[in-house]
Amino acid sequence: MSHTTPRTSAVRRATAGARAPGAPHWTPALERVGRLTPREQETFLLLAEGLSNETMARRLHVTERTVRAHVAAVMEKLELSSRLTVCLASYVFSTENADATDRPAS
């Protein structure tokens, strides 16, 4: 049984190409996640948790300065202008990928 909501469907349509009507302006950034280095991807996923730079630095075993550099690189590569939009994109990306791994293979 599928639990797809109209909102989830809009996000999926938006990630499949140009932004769908009514989809958040940042959804095309989800197509650019592949541009990130492995360490930037880790940082991107931690942003979904709403963590501070200090907490991410401890988790990644790096300095806060390095975390700031990773966040800046993520914002640039995803073409997003605020940390909030990166956090929102990260949350959707991580939940969509979690949903995909929970589904049985066809």
Side-chain angles (χ1 to χ4, degrees):
M1 176 178 188
S2 175
H3 296 287
T4 303
T5 64
R7 182 84 171 139
T8 304
S9 295
V11 171
R12 284 195 182 124
R13 281 192 307 276
T15 59
R19 189 174 115 202
H25 73 279
W26 47 261
T27 53
L30 298 175
E31 295 177 12
R32 297 187 282 271
V33 172
R35 297 179 182 177
L36 304 176
T37 66
R39 200 57 156 175
E40 290 165 352
Q41 287 180 14
E42 287 180 81
T43 304
F44 176 66
L45 294 174
L46 288 175
L47 285 164
E49 298 180 41
L51 302 175
S52 68
N53 288 349
E54 179 183 5
T55 302
M56 286 193 291
R58 280 196 310 267
R59 286 220 195 152
L60 296 171
H61 305 287
V62 297
T63 66
E64 284 185 64
R65 182 177 178 177
T66 300
V67 169
R68 286 192 302 272
H70 288 322
V71 171
V74 168
M75 290 174 65
E76 182 177 333
K77 289 179 180 180
L78 297 185
E79 302 174 25
L80 296 171
S81 59
S82 75
R83 185 178 176 119
L84 175 60
T85 55
V86 175
C87 291
L88 292 169
S90 176
Y91 179 79
V92 168
F93 182 82
S94 62
T95 56
E96 287 290 312
N97 285 334
D99 289 347
T101 58
D102 290 341
R103 288 185 216 125
S106 299

